[in-house]
Amino acid sequence: DIEMIYSAWLTDIKSNGTTISGFKMDKFDYYVEFPQGTNPQTPLPTITYTTEVNDAKAVVNTIYKSQGSIDSAIQRITVTAEDGVTQKIYNIHYSIYKSNNNNLASFSYIPYGENVSNNITVSQDTTYISLAPGTTIAPTITEYVLADTTANAVITQATSPEGVATIAVTAENGNVKIY
């Protein structure tokens, strides 16, 4: 008896003419990160490939998680052997670098009854503010400076002088730090 062996392997995957970093025939997932600030509507690279045997057929499909955005897009190469059954699927996952910097550089507050803002440079996650004896109303955080302009913040004011005010800083990549 003769047993037929069908191949659905790729021997090379190229992105814009250059072999993908770390390519191996038996590795099925690759990750490409574009630099921070890359326009999400930038066209994906042109993918070419080489099948192990000439009779194998391959198709490249692009899967977008967000309308036409390269961030979180996948280019999927489905290789089907001559038997029409044997398949291998190679995926190239794309993302745009997002900063993880959720640091607070400084904030300002106004103690109740004063018109002068006090600026605090943040060197740790918790900052204690001393209030004058007999203070009955909490100070108000008036502004903040983030260490990274791609982050954003939400202030929750203290409701009493003994209370806690927080500034929740969310990095571009979604990581949150509470001050």
Side-chain angles (χ1 to χ4, degrees), residues 95-106:
S95 63
I96 297 173
Y97 174 82
K98 293 173 188 62
S99 173
N100 63 358
N101 187 338
N102 54 9
N103 293 323
L104 178 65
S106 66

Side-chain angles (χ1 to χ4, degrees), residues 52-69:
E52 184 179 47
V53 297
N54 290 335
D55 294 334
K57 304 291 182 229
V59 176
V60 178
N61 289 306
T62 302
I63 302 160
Y64 292 102
K65 289 191 176 183
S66 178
Q67 188 73 349
S69 173

Side-chain angles (χ1 to χ4, degrees), residues 24-25 40 43 52 54 57 60-62 74 81 98 101 124 131 139 154 159 172 175 179:
K24 294 180 187 174
M25 285 177 67
E52 184 179 47
N54 290 335
K57 304 291 182 229
V60 178
N61 289 306
T62 302
I74 299 170
K98 293 173 188 62
N101 187 338
Q124 56 195 26
L131 302 176
V154 174
T159 57
E172 184 182 27
N175 290 346
Y179 292 89

Side-chain angles (χ1 to χ4, degrees), residues 32 63-64 106 108 125 128 135 148 152:
V32 176
I63 302 160
Y64 292 102
S106 66
S108 298
D125 295 351
Y128 296 95
T135 300
D148 186 333
N152 61 61

Side-chain angles (χ1 to χ4, degrees), residues 141-163:
I141 297 173
T142 57
E143 59 185 25
Y144 54 82
V145 175
L146 302 174
D148 186 333
T149 59
T150 64
N152 61 61
V154 174
I155 299 171
T156 303
Q157 301 289 354
T159 57
S160 71
E162 298 80 24

